[in-house]
Amino acid sequence: MTPKVSSSKIHSRIVGTGAYLPERIMTNADLEKIVETTDAWITERTGIRERRIAADDEFTSDMGAKAAQQALTMAGVTADEVDLIIVSTFTPDTIFPSTACRIQHAIGAKKAGAFDLQAACSGFLYSLVVADQFLISGLYRNILVIGSEKISSVLNWNDRNTCVLFGDGAGAVLLQATEQGRGLIVSDLRSDGGETEMLTIPASGCRMPVTQQILDQKSNCLFMAGKEVFKKAVTAMGGSMGHCLKSSGIDSQEIKWVVPHQANLRIIDALVQRLDLPREQVYVNLDRFGNMSAACIPVALHELNVSGKLERGDLILMTAFGGGLTWASAILEW
Ligand code: UT7
């Protein structure tokens, strides 16, 4: 399927952003004390220098609610005016009920529907596209789209291949229906369920319920075949961004900011080369936060927004890749 170019008169627009990063900073030097690794290896191979780790009593819904509240305040929209809450996470507080329902209660969005959307690291873009459909159809006016993750809770802290890569955090946007601007101009959602084993938490679903043996083997923790994922990520995100640019007729030089998934600086550099993107307009914060999965893109959008680097009319190209496999790209007018 080719990317979808919007032809609707009503558009969605981000009118508020928020982010929450836990207080505790874990540096590469801290990790040297936990697993056999070095600051030099992590920095050179990934670009990551530090990441945030949520407190024991701080959960995905707590972080998501804080980010969401900030987005509402910025937008000047009350919790009562929120029609829908979509939370993207692969580290929900509980398998059910959804983390979205917990956030709905925490922020007091009494009239909102709420559900979680599972597309791993691509989840925020998937959620944004779903929310956009509710808005352009005229069904809803205000939708909170949240990416929140407590990945530290599913890491195998003995596995240096994965535990150095991820961080905790949350980002949120308030998406509103408007007739101004061009909104979400084009989007491309993709998947390949033939590669589920490449990036997964094997146990704790119905396929492999938790037993003592599972816990001993750490099969309830995140597993990633890093090298394979790396190659797939570059090809998939590169292709998807290319499709979005081509089908919308937008030249890469017209893009004000590229906001890619923050997994590895070498992946981002490969994408810059492949698509001839202006490097200084590619937003990077993985050095400070590591890979926060679905929270990466909304946190980046919030940072760009509050630092005054965005103006109405700017074109933003976003792309993500993660477990599923899933990948997605979209271009929106700010
Ligand atoms: O968010 C979802 C998408 N995720 C991604 O896109 C992540 C994609 N993958 C990657 O970013 C990279 O593949 C990694 C950062 C995970 C790994 O980098 P790599 O350059 O592909 O390293 P590698 O897996 O080929 O490992 C090279 C060596 C190995 O040692 P030997 O076998 O050559 O002796 C590893 O054991 O580096 C070793 N190694 C480490 N050494 C020090 C792996 N992890 C570490 C570590 N510290 N933390």
Side-chain angles (χ1 to χ4, degrees):
M1 209 56 136
T2 50
K4 303 291 176 293
V5 183
S6 176
S7 58
S8 168
K9 254 178 142 179
I10 306 176
H11 306 297
S12 62
R13 174 178 267 193
I14 295 174
V15 292
T17 59
Y20 175 80
L21 286 316
E23 231 171 80
R24 182 178 164 205
I25 295 173
M26 186 183 276
T27 63
N28 291 349
D30 294 330
L31 278 163
E32 287 178 355
K33 294 173 201 143
I34 300 173
V35 281
E36 203 186 322
T37 191
T38 59
D39 172 39
W41 191 94
I42 304 171
T43 309
E44 279 162 26
R45 304 308 293 164
T46 72
I48 300 165
R49 294 181 182 278
E50 58 186 46
R51 70 286 294 140
R52 301 298 177 99
I53 303 293
D56 289 346
D57 61 352
E58 190 170 46
F59 305 111
T60 299
S61 63
D62 302 320
M63 296 188 282
K66 283 180 180 154
Q69 191 54 64
Q70 229 178 49
L72 286 179
T73 305
M74 186 190 288
V77 169
T78 66
D80 254 1
E81 293 174 281
V82 176
D83 299 305
L84 186 65
I85 300 169
I86 308 178
V87 175
S88 178
T89 183
F90 76 89
T91 51
D93 286 31
T94 46
I95 289 181
F96 89 95
S98 69
T99 299
C101 281
R102 293 179 194 276
I103 293 177
Q104 174 276 329
H105 178 68
I107 64 173
K110 294 197 178 68
K111 297 173 190 158
F115 64 88
D116 289 359
L117 186 153
Q118 164 59 269
C121 298
S122 315
F124 178 77
L125 289 184
Y126 267 69
S127 301
L128 202 67
V129 173
V130 170
D132 180 64
Q133 295 302 305
F134 279 112
L135 296 171
I136 66 176
S137 70
L139 193 63
Y140 290 143
R141 183 164 158 72
N142 291 306
I143 303 182
L144 270 170
V145 182
I146 302 162
S148 185
E149 301 282 13
K150 185 175 179 175
I151 305 179
S152 61
S153 69
V154 296
L155 289 176
N156 175 355
W157 289 96
N158 298 319
D159 178 15
R160 69 177 183 176
N161 292 294
T162 51
C163 76
V164 304
L165 304 174
F166 296 91
D168 300 334
V173 302
L174 185 78
L175 213 58
Q176 193 169 70
T178 173
E179 288 196 11
Q180 292 161 359
R182 284 190 285 171
L184 197 65
I185 298 166
V186 59
S187 63
D188 184 39
L189 304 182
R190 304 284 181 127
S191 63
D192 178 3
E195 304 282 8
T196 49
E197 312 305 322
M198 212 184 258
L199 178 47
T200 180
I201 296 178
S204 67
C206 69
R207 207 168 255 272
M208 210 187 282
V210 174
T211 60
Q212 190 54 51
Q213 194 189 359
I214 292 291
L215 294 176
D216 293 343
Q217 293 168 344
K218 304 271 187 203
S219 302
N220 59 320
C221 295
L222 184 149
F223 167 84
M224 178 167 68
K227 237 184 191 12
E228 287 72 27
V229 171
F230 187 107
K231 283 184 217 150
K232 264 272 187 190
V234 173
T235 316
M237 286 191 283
S240 177
M241 283 198 286
H243 288 317
C244 281
L245 288 165
K246 196 169 170 207
S247 57
S248 61
I250 293 170
D251 190 277
S252 64
Q253 302 307 310
E254 292 174 65
I255 301 291
K256 181 68 189 288
W257 285 104
V258 179
V259 181
H261 180 47
Q262 307 282 317
N264 188 318
L265 196 56
R266 289 186 295 133
I267 295 180
I268 294 175
D269 286 339
L271 293 174
V272 165
Q273 257 197 338
R274 216 181 150 109
L275 285 134
D276 192 22
L277 299 167
R279 182 63 178 86
E280 58 291 349
Q281 275 142 261
V282 179
Y283 196 75
V284 173
N285 62 11
L286 60 79
D287 51 326
R288 289 175 287 132
F289 304 134
N291 181 349
M292 299 183 291
S293 182
C296 287
I297 291 180
V299 168
L301 288 175
H302 178 68
E303 289 194 321
L304 277 169
N305 192 17
V306 295
S307 59
K309 289 180 177 145
L310 288 172
E311 281 174 30
R312 285 287 169 217
D314 285 349
L315 296 182
I316 303 176
L317 170 59
M318 300 168 287
T319 191
F321 181 90
L325 300 172
T326 57
W327 61 100
S329 300
I331 300 175
L332 69 74
E333 185 184 283
W334 185 254

